[in-house]
């Protein structure tokens, strides 16, 4: 069995301000290293580092910290991964279709041969987790989360973390029906009403519902964010927080959208949806950092 290495698709995130940014970055890296070197590892400190400005900074650090945030012991991960029997797997055809449509999730300019090899690994990770955990049901969008772990961690480590994530944070999305997913989506409107009744009233009058946030929730925004640096920064945050944090973050995105529209509120929900899609897909590091503040 071949060993894969992580791609390192993100280097440092430009979430730290330019002024004094490098010294703050070095100080944060030193604090993360200190937390990792403690006996036992200072996981609460690592959570604070993952949540705070700039997140975990580099993929090299993520490879050390993400397993700690999910309480996965890297020492117990088998050196050799199980061989995947694709021919007799009920999910293979759907997984293959989704993986083939995932081209935009790989770094621009990546050689075709390397990308195709990673897509094979992506397929195997998904099928391996599903076979080992028959209570889990594949859903479209799951691959958007798995590919992020693959690109950062490599196949071996990604397999272990994705399995843990699937049986905990993502468990409700992997039921045979969408009932639990809909239940989580239903938290969205009460959160918005509590923070901004004006936005809530508009959404009620437009009868928009909560379906607009479905892909955000079940892919941890991986499907809609165009910059991989922003995806992994957001995953730092989600991995360090309660499993319900993505729905709170979705509420903040919606509220920030209305703030950005200022006095020129759109007259229809369809226009809001168009603006929303463009706004979410064009996140900047500054906007991302600003959104984090109400969530933390």
């Amino acid at each position: 069995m071949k060993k894969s290495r992580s791609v390192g698709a993100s280097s440092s995130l430009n979430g730290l301000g330019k002024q004094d940014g490098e010294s703050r970055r070095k100080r944060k890296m030193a604090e993360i290293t200190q937390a990792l070197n403690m006996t036992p590892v200072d996981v609460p400190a690592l959570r604070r580092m993952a949540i705070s400005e700039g997140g975990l900074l580099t993929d090299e650090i993520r490879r050390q910290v993400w397993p700690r945030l999910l309480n996965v012991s890297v020492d117990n991960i088998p050196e050799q991964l199980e061989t995947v029997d694709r021919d007799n797997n009920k999910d293979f055809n759907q997984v293959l279709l989704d993986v083939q449509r995932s081209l935009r999730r790989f770094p621009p300019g990546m050689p075709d041969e390397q990308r195709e090899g990673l897509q094979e690994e992506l397929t195997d990770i998904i099928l391996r987790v599903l076979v080992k955990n028959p209570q889990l049901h594949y859903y479209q969008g799951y691959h958007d989360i798995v590919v992020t772990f693959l690109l950062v961690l490599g196949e071996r480590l990604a397999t272990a973390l994705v399995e843990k994530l699937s049986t905990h944070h993502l468990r409700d999305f992997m039921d045979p029906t969408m009932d639990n997913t809909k239940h989580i989506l239903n938290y969205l409107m009460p959160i918005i009403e509590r923070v901004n009744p004006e936005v809530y009233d508009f959404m009620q009058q437009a009868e928009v519902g909560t379906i607009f946030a479905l892909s955000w929730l079940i892919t941890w925004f991986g499907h809609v964010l165009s910059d991989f640096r922003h995806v992994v920064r957001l995953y730092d945050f989600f991995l360090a927080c309660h499993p319900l944090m993505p729905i709170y973050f979705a509420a903040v995105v919606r509220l920030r959208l209305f703030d950005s529209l200022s006095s020129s509120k759109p007259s229809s929900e369809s226009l809001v949806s168009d603006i929303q899609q463009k706004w979410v897909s064009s996140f900047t590091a500054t906007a991302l950092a600003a959104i984090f503040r109400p969530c933390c």
Side-chain angles (χ1 to χ4, degrees):
M1 176 68 70
K2 64 183 182 303
K3 292 183 181 178
S4 70
R5 293 185 177 181
S6 60
V7 176
S10 70
S11 53
S12 61
L13 177 71
N14 298 323
L16 300 178
K18 291 181 180 180
Q19 184 179 7
D20 199 34
E22 187 59 29
S23 62
R24 291 162 61 194
R25 183 173 181 273
K26 288 180 179 178
R27 183 166 61 250
K28 185 169 191 178
M29 292 180 74
E31 291 172 352
I32 293 172
T33 300
Q34 181 180 14
L36 285 168
N37 289 337
M38 291 185 68
T39 305
V41 171
D42 190 349
V43 176
L46 294 177
R47 293 189 187 281
R48 291 194 297 272
M49 294 297 105
I51 291 171
S52 63
E53 188 177 8
L56 294 175
L57 303 174
T58 72
D59 286 348
E60 181 180 357
I61 293 175
R62 291 183 178 99
R63 286 189 282 275
Q64 299 177 71
V65 175
W66 281 8
R68 300 290 185 178
L69 296 180
L70 284 175
N71 195 27
V72 172
S73 173
V74 296
D75 295 332
N76 294 331
I77 301 174
E79 287 295 331
Q80 297 293 326
L81 295 170
E82 301 93 335
T83 301
V84 176
D85 181 7
R86 296 183 174 190
D87 294 336
N88 298 309
N89 192 292
K90 63 180 178 62
D91 296 302
F92 173 65
N93 290 332
Q94 184 59 60
V95 171
L96 182 63
L97 287 173
D98 290 344
V99 169
Q100 289 175 339
R101 290 193 291 256
S102 66
L103 297 182
R104 60 176 289 275
R105 293 302 317 278
F106 293 89
M110 174 179 284
D112 289 345
E113 183 178 357
Q114 183 182 10
R115 175 185 49 75
E116 290 167 1
L118 287 166
Q119 287 180 301
E120 291 294 312
E121 294 178 0
L122 175 58
T123 301
D124 284 348
I125 292 173
I126 294 171
L127 296 180
R128 197 176 285 121
V129 170
L130 293 174
V131 167
K132 191 174 178 181
N133 300 273
Q135 77 278 14
L136 302 179
H137 296 262
Y138 179 76
Y139 65 87
Q140 289 183 277
Y142 181 65
H143 69 289
D144 279 303
I145 290 181
V146 179
V147 71
T148 303
F149 281 81
L150 173 61
L151 292 174
V152 173
L153 305 173
E155 184 181 10
R156 175 177 169 270
L157 189 52
T159 298
L161 267 65
V162 166
E163 181 177 4
K164 182 64 174 288
L165 194 74
S166 301
T167 55
H168 291 78
H169 293 64
L170 307 180
R171 181 63 184 86
D172 286 329
F173 310 147
M174 305 190 76
D175 276 346
T177 71
M178 287 189 61
D179 290 348
N180 281 335
T181 302
K182 292 177 181 177
H183 180 74
I184 295 173
L185 279 171
N186 285 337
Y187 293 154
L188 187 67
M189 295 300 285
I191 297 170
I192 291 174
E193 181 182 24
R194 180 71 176 268
V195 177
N196 190 325
E198 179 187 359
V199 176
Y200 172 82
D201 289 343
F202 173 85
M203 293 177 67
Q204 289 290 91
Q205 292 168 10
E207 299 182 344
V208 57
T210 57
I211 197 65
F212 68 88
L214 177 62
S215 67
W216 299 356
L217 180 65
I218 66 176
T219 71
W220 279 13
F221 288 79
H223 185 68
V224 293
L225 289 175
S226 58
D227 192 323
F228 190 75
R229 297 171 304 164
H230 300 156
V231 176
V232 293
R233 171 65 188 97
L234 197 53
Y235 280 36
D236 293 342
F237 179 61
F238 288 157
L239 289 172
C241 292
H242 189 281
L244 285 176
M245 183 54 75
I247 197 66
Y248 282 85
F249 191 82
V252 175
V253 168
R254 187 69 173 194
L255 291 163
R256 290 281 298 184
L257 169 68
F258 270 74
D259 288 343
S260 71
L261 294 176
S262 187
S263 59
S264 56
K265 294 290 189 293
S267 57
S268 71
E269 176 54 31
S270 61
L271 180 57
V272 170
S273 297
D274 290 341
I275 297 171
Q276 175 173 272
Q277 191 64 32
K278 293 176 183 177
W279 190 80
V280 172
S281 63
S282 62
F283 266 134
T284 64
T286 302
L288 196 61
I291 288 176
F292 276 138
R293 293 190 187 104
C295 295
C296 300

